[in-house]
Amino acid sequence: MVSRHWETVASACGAGPKISYERRVVPTPDGDEIALDFAGGEADKPLLALFHGLEGSSQSNSVRRIAAHFLAEGWSVAAPNFRTCGGRMNLLPRAYHAADESETGWMLRHCEAAFAHCGFYAAGISLGGNALINWAAKCGGENTVRAVATVSAPFNLAASVRAIDGGISRRIYAEHFLKTLREKVLQKQKRFPGLCAGADIRRAKTLAEFDELYTAPVHRFASAAEYWKRGSCEKSLTQTKLPLLCINALNDPLVPAASLPEPPSGNVQFHRPKTGGHAAFLGTPQNWLPKTIANFF
C-alpha cells in the first residue's frame, strides 16, 4: 500500500501542470489587497472559483491539477490567494483563517462580478474547503454559486492541528507550514511593532502554539481553542442549502478519519476513498479528482 505520507508529500512537491494566469491585485473593503489569479476559458462555459489550502496559493499543485482539467474543458478559473499568499505580503496586521466566511464571500462576489460566465461554481482544498463550507452555511445566498466541492477539508480544526503537531507529522508538516507562517509574522512585526511576541513566534514549534500567539489574538479570538471551535466547518454541514460534495481520503494524515462527521442527509454528498492522502489521490485513475468534481457540478 502507498504510504499516506509519501502520497501527500509527492503530490505537493512533484511537478504539476503549468497554468498561464493573469494576475489582478484587488483592493479589499477594509483597505487591504489580495492577488486574484485568473485563467480565461470559453465565453459560453462556466467559471470555477478555486481556493487553496493553508500556506498554499494559486500555484499549489493541488490547485493547478484541478484548474488544468477545467480549463481543458473550456471553463474559466479564478484562483484567489488568501492574504499573505501568492507571493504578496498584504498591507494590514491580519492574515487569513478558516472562520472568515465574510472574506470568502467577498472574494466570491468579486470573482462573479469580474468575469463573464454562464454558471458559477466553487471548490476549496483543505483550509479553503473549510472556509467555503462555513461561507455556504452563513452567506450562501449572497451570489449565484450553483454548487460547492471540497477536497480534504478539515471538519474539526482541533483534531487536524493535533494530527499535524503529533509524531512524525510534526517534522513533516508542522515545520513546513511554520517556516513560512513565522517568516510572514516577523515581517509584519517590522511594520506593526507590538503585533505579537516575536521571540515567542520564533520559538513556536507547533501550529497550536502559532495559533495561540498570532492567529487567535490578531483575528479577535479569545484563544486558539475558540478559533478552532468557531472555524470548524462540521457544524455548518447541515446549514448549507447549496449542493455540496466533500471528498476526503480515509488515510489523510492531516484530517484523521475519526474526525470525519457522519454524512448528513439532503444536499450534502460525501466521497471517502480508502487512499488519497491529503489532497493528493495519486493512486487513483488519472484525473480522477477533477473529473469527480466536474461530474458533480
Side-chain angles (χ1 to χ4, degrees), residues 276-291:
H278 188 76
F281 301 97
L282 296 180
T284 57
Q286 187 175 16
N287 287 333
W288 173 86
L289 180 62
K291 285 180 180 178

Side-chain angles (χ1 to χ4, degrees), residues 2 19 32 55 91 123 127 160 184 189 214 255 285 289 291:
V2 175
I19 306 295
D32 208 342
E55 288 304 275
L91 305 177
L127 180 144
S160 285
K184 290 175 180 179
Q189 248 190 341
Y214 174 79
V255 182
L289 180 62
K291 285 180 180 178

Side-chain angles (χ1 to χ4, degrees), residues 109-196:
R109 290 194 299 275
H110 185 85
C111 292
E112 181 181 27
F115 308 118
H117 58 83
C118 70
F120 189 29
Y121 299 81
I125 299 163
S126 196
L127 180 144
N130 186 107
L132 265 179
I133 293 174
N134 284 332
W135 164 82
K138 298 180 181 179
C139 315
E142 292 180 351
N143 54 32
T144 59
V145 172
R146 295 181 179 180
V148 171
T150 66
V151 180
S152 303
F155 296 92
N156 183 315
L157 291 179
S160 285
V161 169
R162 287 194 297 270
I164 294 169
D165 285 345
I168 190 174
S169 291
R170 180 170 170 178
R171 297 195 300 273
I172 299 175
Y173 308 111
E175 187 52 39
H176 169 74
F177 292 132
L178 286 167
K179 184 177 185 296
T180 52
L181 287 168
R182 285 190 298 246
E183 290 173 354
K184 290 175 180 179
V185 173
L186 292 173
Q187 285 183 50
K188 285 180 176 293
Q189 248 190 341
K190 294 178 181 178
R191 297 180 58 196
F192 306 100
L195 179 64
C196 58

